[in-house]
């Protein structure tokens, strides 16, 4: 089976495919993350393993146009959660990452980086039309496309990213005579995180300690 991840990052999908006997195709805009993904397979799976997989260092918008329709068996991806890593207001995440000497964004100002789209509704539409629909076009009919996403806060506003994405993608036309149909939603619990008393005692401000796996199927139109 061939597994496609259009936001390959440091290769979690590639590693999972490698250890379960599948082949993966990762597309990642940033050279640094793409190289780390290759290095990860070499060190965490086996020397030489990265050559069994495909790593494309490019804008997925461009790369996905070159895929044959119905050529992959599974799509799984975790897109940027809008510009949330770039937000100065997100003190806790940013400070934790700075303290651990981790990158606080995926790229500084690359206009091709999806996370750098300033307006949330434009971001949602571009994510669906330029990345997920073309990935679904590359998927075989009857097969599945999964997205791992989290809700988030933008200043004081809670943004239900997972449900906004479902609204954008359920019944979306894949432009090859099929549609994406939502099959279910799994919650991925992140129980290792500490609870913090945000807002207490004045307001309820949620701790976000879970992510969602949105499961879609490519179904032929009746
Ligand atoms: C949430 S991360 C993916 C994490 C990934 N699952 C991993 O194992 O590291 C999103 C990734 O999308 C990449 N990205 C953003 N815009 C992109 C684009 N236009 N084409 C390809 N990759 C892009 C970012 O550089 C970032 O590495």
């Amino acid at each position: 089976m061939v597994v496609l991840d259009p936001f390959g990052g440091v290769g979690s999908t590639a590693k999972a495919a490698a250890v379960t006997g599948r082949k993966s195709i990762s597309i990642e805009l940033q050279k640094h993350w793409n190289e780390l993904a290759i290095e990860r397979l070499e060190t965490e799976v086996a020397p030489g393993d990265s050559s069994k997989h495909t790593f494309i260092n490019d804008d997925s918008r461009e790369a996905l146009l070159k895929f044959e329709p119905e050529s992959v068996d599974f799509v799984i991806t975790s897109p940027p959660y809008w510009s949330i890593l770039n937000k100065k207001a997100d003190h806790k995440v940013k400070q934790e990452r700075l303290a651990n000497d981790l990158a606080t964004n995926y790229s500084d100002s690359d206009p091709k980086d999806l996370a750098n789209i300033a307006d949330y509704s434009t971001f949602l539409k571009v994510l669906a039309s330029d990345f997920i629909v073309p990935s679904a076009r590359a998927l075989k009919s009857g097969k599945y496309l999964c997205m791992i996403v989290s809700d988030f806060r933008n200043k004081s506003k809670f943004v239900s990213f997972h449900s906004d994405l479902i609204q954008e993608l359920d019944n979306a036309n894949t432009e090859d005579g099929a549609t994406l149909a939502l099959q279910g939603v799994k919650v991925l619990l992140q129980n290792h995180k500490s609870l913090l008393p945000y807002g207490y005692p004045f307001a309820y401000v949620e701790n976000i300690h879970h992510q969602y796996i949105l499961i879609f199927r490519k179904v032929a139109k009746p």
Side-chain angles (χ1 to χ4, degrees):
M1 284 176 66
V2 177
V3 182
L4 167 66
D5 186 344
F7 296 106
V10 295
S12 307
T13 297
K15 182 178 173 185
V19 299
T20 54
R22 297 173 170 92
K23 294 221 182 299
S24 65
I25 306 174
S26 297
I27 313 171
E28 170 54 48
L29 182 65
Q30 304 302 331
K31 190 164 179 271
H32 177 63
W33 305 132
N34 191 55
E35 284 172 355
L36 275 180
I38 295 170
E39 190 182 320
R40 189 170 173 198
L41 259 68
E42 293 294 310
T43 54
E44 295 181 16
V45 181
D49 197 85
S50 67
S51 63
K52 298 180 192 156
H53 305 271
T54 307
F55 293 90
I56 303 171
N57 177 205
D58 199 357
D59 183 348
S60 277
R61 256 172 294 215
E62 307 292 327
L64 288 166
L65 297 176
K66 298 176 198 144
F67 277 65
E68 287 293 320
E70 309 258 331
S71 57
V72 305
D73 299 279
F74 184 43
V75 177
I76 183 159
T77 197
S78 181
Y81 300 170
W82 188 34
S83 49
I84 217 65
L85 270 191
N86 299 345
K87 294 244 169 293
K88 293 193 176 49
D90 197 345
H91 298 304
K92 182 177 156 272
V93 173
K94 197 152 192 161
Q95 278 169 15
E96 270 177 17
R97 294 188 68 89
L98 281 172
N100 290 308
D101 202 20
L102 296 171
T104 53
N105 56 15
Y106 294 118
S107 71
D108 283 332
S109 57
D110 188 338
K112 291 181 178 165
D113 186 331
L114 183 63
N116 292 332
I117 296 179
D119 175 63
Y120 177 63
S121 57
T122 308
F123 159 80
L124 266 182
K125 293 215 174 328
V126 171
L127 170 58
S129 65
D130 293 10
F131 295 85
I132 304 306
V133 164
S135 299
R137 197 160 32 79
L139 184 66
K140 294 178 185 166
S141 291
K143 302 285 186 177
Y144 294 86
L145 178 150
C146 293
M147 297 184 73
I148 299 154
V149 294
S150 168
D151 294 342
F152 53 82
R153 259 189 309 276
N154 180 26
K155 300 185 181 139
S156 59
K157 189 169 165 25
F158 183 87
V159 181
S160 187
F161 181 37
H162 88 282
S163 60
D164 292 341
L165 256 183
I166 290 173
Q167 297 310 313
E168 204 64 49
L169 286 170
D170 195 18
N171 295 319
N173 192 331
T174 60
E175 296 161 4
D176 63 348
T179 53
L180 279 180
L182 185 70
Q183 304 295 300
V185 178
K186 284 269 169 278
V187 173
L188 198 64
L189 181 62
Q190 296 173 301
N191 227 357
H192 60 283
K193 292 186 172 178
S194 324
L195 284 168
L196 290 169
Y198 299 126
Y200 179 83
F202 306 107
Y204 175 70
V205 179
E206 187 172 67
N207 279 259
I208 300 173
H209 287 181
H210 62 285
Q211 309 227 3
Y212 297 90
I213 308 176
L214 314 182
I215 305 164
F216 296 92
R217 189 174 197 191
K218 181 174 179 178
V219 289
K221 279 189 205 156

